[in-house]
Amino acid sequence: MAAVNHNYGTGRRKTATARVYLAPGTGRITVNERPLDEFFGRETGRMIVRQPLEVAQLTSKFDIDVHVVGGGITGQAGAIRHGIARALIKYDETLRKPLRAAGFVTRDAREVERKKVGRRKARRGTQYSKR
């Protein structure tokens, strides 16, 4: 675990929650004690996670330690991105504007809609049969 005086950010997306710790370093990102490239098998997840750092042009300035729980791959990647953006803002308030312009500060509030009674899914009705 990183030191106490670090920059911390909590990120959320769907049902995933990420606790992000920034510490001065060389650009190493670990997710649940595993390197980023090992944690995300697909390139998309890795790309999403690195976006806020690229916008802030701080790709190799921090070592990032992430603990993420819940959700699936995309949800977790989005949660980490949100957490990194929040932690960067805590580190330097002037980064808020570019990060907000890129849309990384806002929590994506879309959640899975609940299944209704008498429906097959949330909105899909049952199949109509003439006979």
Side-chain angles (χ1 to χ4, degrees), residues 21-43:
Y21 300 90
L22 295 187
T26 56
R28 195 180 43 79
I29 304 176
T30 50
V31 183
N32 293 354
E33 313 298 322
R34 286 157 62 194
L36 179 71
D37 298 339
E38 190 187 302
F39 189 83
F40 288 111
R42 290 171 55 208
E43 193 51 56

Side-chain angles (χ1 to χ4, degrees), residues 83-127:
I84 291 174
R86 280 183 161 183
L88 286 171
I89 288 168
K90 202 174 257 189
Y91 159 75
D92 181 2
E93 192 60 44
T94 61
L95 294 172
R96 185 183 288 272
K97 208 163 186 170
L99 287 171
R100 176 163 297 287
F104 302 150
V105 183
T106 313
R107 152 85 157 102
D108 189 342
R110 295 176 298 174
E111 293 287 327
V112 176
E113 191 175 334
R114 80 174 197 89
K115 186 201 167 299
K116 316 295 186 299
V117 177
R119 301 229 160 229
R120 216 160 54 99
K121 289 165 73 178
R123 298 191 176 192
R124 171 108 167 73
T126 49
Q127 191 165 342

Side-chain angles (χ1 to χ4, degrees), residues 6-22:
H6 46 33
N7 297 288
Y8 166 77
T10 312
R12 292 192 183 86
R13 168 90 168 82
K14 290 185 168 185
T15 55
T17 305
R19 305 195 313 268
V20 178
Y21 300 90
L22 295 187

Side-chain angles (χ1 to χ4, degrees), residues 40-60:
F40 288 111
R42 290 171 55 208
E43 193 51 56
T44 353
R46 291 176 242 179
M47 192 183 72
I48 289 170
V49 169
R50 291 197 184 105
Q51 280 172 335
L53 294 163
E54 283 160 7
V55 167
Q57 286 155 2
L58 298 168
T59 324
S60 55

